[in-house]
Amino acid sequence: MNKNNFLYKNECFKIIGSCMAVHSELGCGFHEAVYQEALEYEFEVNSIAFQRESKIDINYKEKLLHKNYMADFLCFDEIHAAHILNYLKATKKKVGSLINFGTNSLQYKPFTF
């Protein structure tokens, strides 16, 4: 991925910066819900538009599936959650990041579709 052509570069940097702040403060070892609540706080203080546990629509061959599927966070109207490639493909979003708070150093990987 060419960093000069990175899609939603500023928004992604703000999101990753918030994740780094949470990981720096809490470290690893907490349940996912703790990180979600802390990350929600960081998004709020950093003016990052987000929805927590946001329902996402999944289409299969032009048919909308009816089960409620949830993304952990939807930021700047883009997905930022686990199962990122499937979510991106199914929702036709363009960019997302997979975040892992469960290690000594924050792990994150941006994805584009």
Side-chain angles (χ1 to χ4, degrees), residues 2-112:
N2 184 339
K3 290 185 180 185
N4 294 328
N5 296 329
F6 192 84
L7 191 60
Y8 300 112
K9 181 178 178 179
N10 293 333
E11 291 89 344
C12 289
F13 285 162
K14 284 180 76 172
I15 292 167
I16 297 302
S18 295
C19 293
M20 287 179 171
V22 168
H23 193 272
S24 176
E25 182 72 24
L26 295 177
C28 63
F30 287 101
H31 290 283
E32 181 178 354
V34 173
Y35 296 107
Q36 287 177 335
E37 189 171 348
L39 193 54
E40 182 174 5
Y41 171 80
E42 285 295 327
F43 287 165
E44 288 170 351
V45 299
N46 289 298
S47 301
I48 296 172
F50 75 95
Q51 294 175 331
R52 185 170 169 186
E53 296 179 356
S54 180
K55 180 183 177 292
I56 57 173
D57 292 332
I58 305 290
N59 292 292
Y60 175 75
K61 293 184 176 180
E62 307 298 324
K63 178 188 182 329
L64 177 64
L65 302 180
H66 294 287
K67 188 169 181 179
N68 290 326
Y69 297 96
M70 306 295 274
D72 294 339
F73 284 97
L74 192 62
C75 299
F76 299 110
D77 198 31
E78 293 294 324
I79 290 186
H80 203 269
H83 311 295
I84 194 71
L85 289 175
N86 289 336
Y87 285 167
L88 292 176
K89 181 178 179 182
T91 61
K92 297 179 176 50
K93 299 290 184 187
K94 293 180 171 75
V95 65
S97 293
L98 182 61
I99 309 294
N100 181 6
F101 289 100
T103 57
N104 288 333
S105 295
L106 181 74
Q107 294 177 336
Y108 62 94
K109 183 173 182 178
F111 292 86
T112 58

